[in-house]
Amino acid sequence: MRARVLVRPKAGILDPQGQAVERALPALGFDGVRNVHVGRLIELDVEDASQLPEMCEKLLANPLIEDYEIVQ
Amino acid sequence: MRARVLVRPKAGILDPQGQAVERALPALGFDGVRNVHVGRLIELDVEDASQLPEMCEKLLANPLIEDYEIVQ
């Protein structure tokens, strides 16, 4: 089964990549862009999808500073 | 409007993060995991969604080595 995991910085945690994108877009002529956040996308084939939350907690995300969302 | 951009390495392009995850999961006791790919997730508020493909081509993705998908 193909699964997708979205990992984002938690609210309130510094997101320097998102800030860099938010500053760079107007400089390239794109206006009206707000609240940019950059995270990770992990796509994988798993035999047992019930293991996915534990995989996220242990390896795919850092639960101290990141939230994850599993999309199947 | 909130938009989400998924950026992935193109097929055939080396994906060292994906390989590292694929090797690390069995070492943590998770078996049956295949075809792991790691990419980026960008979420942003845009006023004009028609600008998103150009933003991807110019800043959010590297079109030489990455594919992007816009989800609105």
Side-chain angles (χ1 to χ4, degrees), chain A residues 8-9 15 17-23 25-26 31-39, chain B residues 1-5 41-47 60:
Chain A
R8 308 179 172 83
D15 178 3
Q17 286 187 87
Q19 293 174 346
V21 169
E22 196 161 332
R23 275 195 303 261
L25 283 170
D31 292 314
V33 179
R34 303 271 181 284
N35 298 317
V36 183
H37 294 286
V38 176
Chain B
M1 206 200 65
R2 193 76 177 155
R4 181 180 286 178
V5 177
L41 162 73
I42 301 131
E43 293 177 316
L44 66 177
D45 289 330
V46 288
E47 283 173 10
L60 303 181

Side-chain angles (χ1 to χ4, degrees), chain B:
Chain B
M1 206 200 65
R2 193 76 177 155
R4 181 180 286 178
V5 177
L6 308 178
V7 179
R8 310 178 170 84
K10 274 185 195 285
I13 296 283
L14 209 63
D15 178 4
Q17 286 187 88
Q19 292 174 348
V21 170
E22 196 161 331
R23 276 195 303 263
L25 284 170
L28 292 171
F30 300 107
D31 292 314
V33 179
R34 304 270 180 285
N35 299 315
V36 183
H37 294 287
V38 176
R40 286 194 307 288
L41 162 73
I42 301 131
E43 293 177 316
L44 66 177
D45 289 330
V46 288
E47 283 173 10
D48 179 2
S50 70
Q51 292 185 316
L52 280 166
E54 201 184 343
M55 289 182 198
C56 289
E57 296 282 340
K58 288 196 175 169
L59 182 75
L60 303 181
N62 177 346
L64 290 175
I65 57 169
E66 293 171 329
D67 288 322
Y68 59 86
E69 177 186 347
I70 296 165
V71 188
Q72 285 169 13

